[in-house]
Amino acid sequence: MTGNRNIVDEITGHRRMRRNRKADWTRRLVQENRLTVDDLIWPAFVVPGTNVVDPVAAMPGVNRLSVDKLVEAAKEAADLGIPAIATFPNIDMSLRDETGSHCLAANNLINEATRAIKQAVPNIGVITDVALDPFTNHGHDGVLRGDVIVNDETVELVAKAAVIQADAGSDIIAPSEMMDGRIGVIRRALDEAGHQNVGIMAYATKFASAFYGPYRDAIGTGGLLKGDKKTYYIDPANGTEALRDAALDVEEGADTLMVKPGLPYLDICWRIKEAFGLPVFAYQVSGEYSQIKAAALNGWIDGERVMLETLLAFKRAGCDGILSYFAMDVARHLAKKGS
Ligand code: PBG
């Protein structure tokens, strides 16, 4: 043969993947997934008091905010275009007990935060967690009897707390305690109370993960927790079981499904998206955030690029959105890029 043909042409049959990668414009043209501000849910920590901005040591850049400060931040989030905020309370230790009874107080910290945000920033969605762990003095997500986290009693409490959260203005209830039957019971309780429009984001697959460590410090449950959560969260070894668990949430009436933690469980995100066709969200949890921050602060990785790459990976894995402590940073970055 003549001309410029060479051995690689013979091998590839003239097909070359790199033609589409040759310039910025070709790469933009063929880009399959894109991260936008519409994909972001911002998880935020609430503390009692006013004018409090209290850094979480293990999560550089993340602060616990009093309700007034949270409202200011929610306003900024809404202005940046972030669709929703997910709140987690760190309540006074004196209010925590065996059964997490303070979850039923209409004016508890999470409900006060919801009311204040909905009043001041009506155009941001509020997603509230209904597990009992912020309210128990043992750090478990449910009622502890002896050494058992009792399922049905917990579900009853969580469903009541969900209705009270909806009364306070919560738009989406996110049950994170992994009790059996909770989605169905919460759905019925909400409907009974006239909250047909309040949605349920099921923590459909929540794994017994070591990645939650910094979060437990942030809401003050780290030192309290006796034992572990393996009798109610899913074993990280199990994918088929996770799908079965998610299927039950779908049958019981979940509107959206969440996978938690995020990056180590992208296979689950993909399988759930394929299986149910419901919107799927990943929770990039505290330990995932801290890993990236710690390495970046040491100068070992480019924190901003790694942050964006992880979030894009969720999109590629089929997620419709991501709960991420990076949400505000990313939204600011995207706004800068867009202008
Ligand atoms: C428990 C709950 C957890 C998180 C949010 N709610 C897990 C746990 O402490 O067991 C983790 C969030 C994170 O790590 O960012 N209901």
Side-chain angles (χ1 to χ4, degrees), residues 233-253:
Y233 292 178
I234 304 168
D235 185 335
N238 298 352
T240 304
E241 181 190 335
L243 250 76
R244 173 96 178 103
D245 205 316
L248 294 175
D249 290 355
V250 174
E251 285 166 27
E252 291 175 27

Side-chain angles (χ1 to χ4, degrees), residues 88 129 131 133 141 176 206 211-212 215-216 229 233 260 283 285-286 325:
F88 297 92
D129 191 285
D133 57 305
D141 294 15
S176 67
K206 185 170 188 185
F211 281 96
Y212 307 139
Y215 165 92
R216 292 181 188 171
K229 301 192 177 184
Y233 292 178
K260 178 181 183 178
Y283 195 146
V285 300
S286 55
Y325 299 100

